[in-house]
Amino acid sequence: MRSLVLLLAASVASASLLPSISLNLPSSAFPKFHTISQADAEAGNDLPEGFSNSTRVNALEAAATVQTAAEAACSASPNVRFEWRQYSASDRLAFIAAIKCLMNKPPSGNFPPATSRYEDFVRLHQMDMPNVHGNPKFLIWHRYYLWTFEQVLRTECGFDRAMVWWDETLDAGKFAQSDMFTNTAYFGHLPPPDANGNGYCIESGAFAGLTCHIGPGSSNTPHCLARAVDESLTAQCNTGFVNTCNSRTSYSDMESCSEYGPHAYGHDGIGAVMSDVSASPSDPVFWMHHTFVDHGFRIWQNADVADRTTTINGNDHNGNPLTMDTMVSVGGIRPDVRIGDIMNTLSGVSIGGVPFCYRYTY
């Protein structure tokens, strides 16, 4: 009898160690990103009033500028973001480990109902969604959001490597074949949808069995990290579409094309949790995707650095014109900043004692 009792106790203890199975929500539960076709982008059909005639809000800001000491110091020794294929195996594992570290840290308490420090970021995105999507603030806010995430990985989880970025144009139409998803040490598999069009819970990789507590949409219902790749959508993250967007000379025109073009197709193409406009950062591949988006933004700026890093146009969610003095907030995780502080990735402006200073490998 005593042996039977011990066996039952051991069985209960073992069962308690098994991961809980999260709810796998149908794809219809995730609010999808709005997309435009490349043909519509080329015709400017995403712009009701047609292409803008000017890139400037403040003409004086477009005048020739003298490089500041901070810019000079930054340009002399910038942080470099390495494309995934250039990133060493050691660096990749360190990056993944730092993300998992945030997932294992308690939440700050400033973003309920986040259950971890990582979910602080997801909840922030969900809370700010109407303000930072569907208007020209999208690109500049996500630039700062991504940089803030990098800094928290460094200060709170000891991440001490160069940052990574993903050139999705090299994987367009074949995301699932990237070793980001096929190598079980990284982000986990990228399966196609099931017969009903729904995603599968991710059961491989570093984030296998992850439960998401933020989303879908504006709700907060615990659900599994699921994906449902559609390579016909990921195929739109191609060089031609990026170049179509970057051929536009106005910031707000380019932003619209980027947001509803390659950006939206990348989210919807990965599917399920990543297609949730509000809570897509629940999928850690979100950060890789947004390095691709920010890279496209920076390449557009490089075509006319003097103008495109010193001016901005378009209106925010409330109809207020964006200027270089418009404030960008990440909910207190890092200080609020002026758009003018982060419009140039090589500005060198000190933010909380850390210079805003980076470039991409190409």
Side-chain angles (χ1 to χ4, degrees):
M1 175 64 71
R2 183 172 181 274
S3 296
L4 178 60
V5 171
L6 291 174
L7 180 60
L8 289 172
S11 297
V12 171
S14 297
S16 68
L17 297 177
L18 294 175
S20 58
I21 298 177
S22 303
L23 181 66
N24 186 13
L25 298 176
S27 289
S28 59
F30 302 103
K32 302 294 188 294
F33 287 77
H34 172 71
T35 61
I36 60 170
S37 69
Q38 185 174 345
D40 279 342
E42 290 169 351
N45 292 338
D46 55 309
L47 306 169
E49 298 179 2
F51 292 104
S52 299
N53 293 320
S54 173
T55 63
R56 295 176 174 80
V57 170
N58 299 320
L60 292 177
E61 291 176 338
T65 56
V66 177
Q67 189 178 49
T68 67
E71 288 173 328
C74 171
S75 295
S77 183
N79 295 312
V80 178
R81 292 183 174 179
F82 287 84
E83 206 279 324
W84 179 258
R85 294 158 185 80
Q86 303 169 319
Y87 217 39
S88 72
S90 174
D91 289 342
R92 293 176 180 186
L93 292 174
F95 180 64
I96 296 291
I99 295 175
K100 291 193 71 174
C101 165
L102 280 191
M103 291 179 172
N104 290 322
K105 283 185 172 289
S108 65
N110 297 324
F111 303 94
T115 65
S116 69
R117 183 57 164 157
Y118 183 87
E119 285 193 339
D120 281 353
F121 281 89
V122 187
R123 174 61 173 154
L124 169 63
H125 189 275
Q126 183 191 51
M127 292 167 60
D128 279 4
M129 193 280 290
N131 299 316
V132 299
H133 281 267
N135 70 84
K137 203 170 188 179
F138 164 78
L139 278 178
I140 196 67
W141 185 88
H142 281 81
R143 168 172 286 179
Y144 191 45
Y145 180 59
L146 176 61
W147 184 86
T148 297
F149 182 72
E150 176 191 349
Q151 303 316 307
V152 171
L153 289 181
R154 296 188 183 288
T155 59
E156 299 184 24
C157 284
F159 181 61
D160 60 357
R161 312 300 177 93
M163 188 59 174
V164 63
W165 72 282
W166 180 18
D167 187 348
E168 292 180 11
T169 66
L170 301 178
D171 294 307
K174 51 182 180 179
F175 275 18
Q177 297 177 35
S178 168
D179 68 354
M180 286 174 51
F181 303 108
T182 61
N183 188 316
T184 56
Y186 304 142
F187 290 90
H189 62 297
L190 187 51
D194 65 17
N196 296 314
N198 298 322
Y200 287 95
C201 296
I202 300 307
E203 298 175 350
S204 68
F207 307 104
L210 180 66
T211 296
C212 308
H213 300 90
I214 308 300
S218 59
S219 69
N220 294 302
T221 302
H223 54 284
C224 74
L225 170 60
R227 297 179 186 138
V229 70
D230 182 339
E231 300 288 22
S232 71
L233 301 182
T234 71
Q236 301 308 307
C237 299
N238 61 71
T239 300
F241 209 151
V242 172
N243 289 344
T244 292
C245 296
N246 284 356
S247 69
R248 296 182 173 189
T249 57
S250 159
Y251 166 81
S252 61
D253 290 353
M254 178 275 298
E255 182 283 324
S256 176
C257 181
S258 175
E259 181 177 0
Y260 300 130
H263 161 257
Y265 282 107
H267 276 281
D268 288 349
I270 292 172
V273 169
M274 262 291 277
S275 68
D276 182 351
V277 178
S278 294
S280 51
S282 288
D283 188 335
V285 80
F286 171 95
W287 307 102
M288 298 297 294
H289 179 52
H290 270 273
T291 59
F292 166 67
V293 175
D294 186 64
H295 173 265
F297 177 18
R298 181 65 214 193
I299 293 301
W300 176 80
Q301 292 183 302
N302 287 344
D304 188 354
V305 173
D307 182 67
R308 295 179 181 180
T309 62
T310 61
T311 64
I312 197 167
N313 69 340
N315 298 330
D316 68 13
H317 175 67
N318 297 312
N320 301 311
L322 295 178
T323 73
M324 298 297 274
D325 289 323
T326 298
M327 300 303 292
V328 176
S329 173
V330 285
I333 298 177
R334 286 297 184 271
D336 293 358
V337 295
R338 297 167 54 252
I339 283 179
D341 294 331
I342 58 174
M343 195 67 175
N344 184 356
T345 68
L346 296 173
S347 71
V349 170
S350 178
I351 301 174
V354 178
F356 188 79
C357 176
Y358 69 88
R359 66 172 179 82
Y360 291 91
T361 44
Y362 61 85

